[in-house]
Amino acid sequence: MSTFRVWAPAADAVDAHVDGVAHPMHRDQARGWWSVEVPMVPTGTPYGFALDGGEPRPDPRGVWLPDGVHALTRRYDQDVFEWHDQHWRGVPLAGSVVYELHVGTFTPEGTFAGAIGKLDHLVELGVDVVELLPVHAFPGRRGWGYDVAAPYSVHEPYGGPDGLKAFVDACHARGLAVALDVVYNHFGPDGAYVIGFGPYLTDTH
């Protein structure tokens, strides 16, 4: 079975829409969580949550939005990616050289894969830590990443979650640490459906 859970304390009813089928969810009265179990759902299956009979929206904690921030989330298996950095032990931050990198403008491709091709250059420069500007999912293809729509998802035009993992893996292979510039304190004005789930998230700027 696959378990779907979402936090929506102000809703009176929540349905999980999985591959086009609605499944009424059960509420944990004490904490505001809703959950339901459905037959095993394979990777890539579209799903979302509908509040009080409304249209299904992306999972506010979903990690994969291959069709953009306005489409439903896709089921993602974190265990499929094959890591090669089992011996990575990190680098000390004190005294390290940090390089701030914007994936969308670092290479003509504007992707994690394109950035991997330039990592040897960063090593030659003496960089120790690559700090990625925000890679949360946001509307459109290019931007600074501060107009966050889905804070747990990785921007698909950059390469999505697998692309980010491949980038981190490639950095570690070269002795480079990776740091993330994250934006959890505000949302952009377009596609931030998480605001509908959290009643206290009212300011979109």
Side-chain angles (χ1 to χ4, degrees):
M1 301 293 284
S2 296
T3 301
F4 290 85
R5 300 183 74 228
V6 67
W7 189 73
D12 293 320
V14 181
D15 294 323
H17 286 249
V18 182
D19 204 14
V21 179
H23 302 269
M25 304 183 76
H26 310 287
R27 181 173 186 169
D28 179 343
Q29 297 291 340
R31 302 180 60 192
W33 285 93
W34 299 75
S35 64
V36 67
E37 289 190 349
V38 301
M40 185 60 67
V41 177
T43 294
T45 301
Y47 76 96
F49 302 107
L51 304 177
D52 297 323
E55 291 295 316
R57 301 301 189 189
D59 181 356
R61 295 189 301 157
V63 299
W64 191 25
L65 290 169
D67 304 311
V69 298
H70 296 292
L72 294 184
T73 307
R74 295 274 179 167
R75 185 83 166 174
Y76 181 78
D77 187 346
Q78 294 282 5
D79 296 326
V80 170
F81 184 85
E82 184 178 356
W83 292 92
H84 304 90
D85 65 348
Q86 289 80 5
H87 300 294
W88 173 254
R89 293 298 179 266
V91 300
L93 183 58
S96 290
V97 176
V98 180
Y99 185 96
E100 188 177 69
L101 188 154
H102 182 268
V103 176
T105 59
F106 185 60
T107 65
E109 298 87 353
T111 63
F112 293 119
I116 289 173
K118 298 292 186 181
L119 290 179
D120 290 338
H121 174 63
L122 297 185
V123 173
E124 292 173 3
L125 288 177
V127 172
D128 301 300
V129 181
V130 179
E131 179 187 359
L132 295 178
L133 268 70
V135 296
H136 313 282
F138 57 85
R141 294 189 59 81
R142 297 289 180 264
W144 286 109
Y146 292 98
D147 52 340
V148 179
Y152 290 87
S153 296
V154 181
H155 193 50
E156 187 66 21
Y158 289 168
D162 279 355
L164 176 58
K165 290 178 179 180
F167 178 82
V168 172
D169 206 37
C171 283
H172 289 173
R174 292 164 173 81
L176 295 168
V178 180
L180 295 178
D181 181 351
V182 296
V183 187
Y184 294 140
N185 63 325
H186 67 83
F187 297 92
D190 185 20
Y193 296 107
V194 62
I195 294 171
F197 292 85
Y200 57 89
L201 300 171
T202 57
D203 185 0
T204 60
H205 297 86

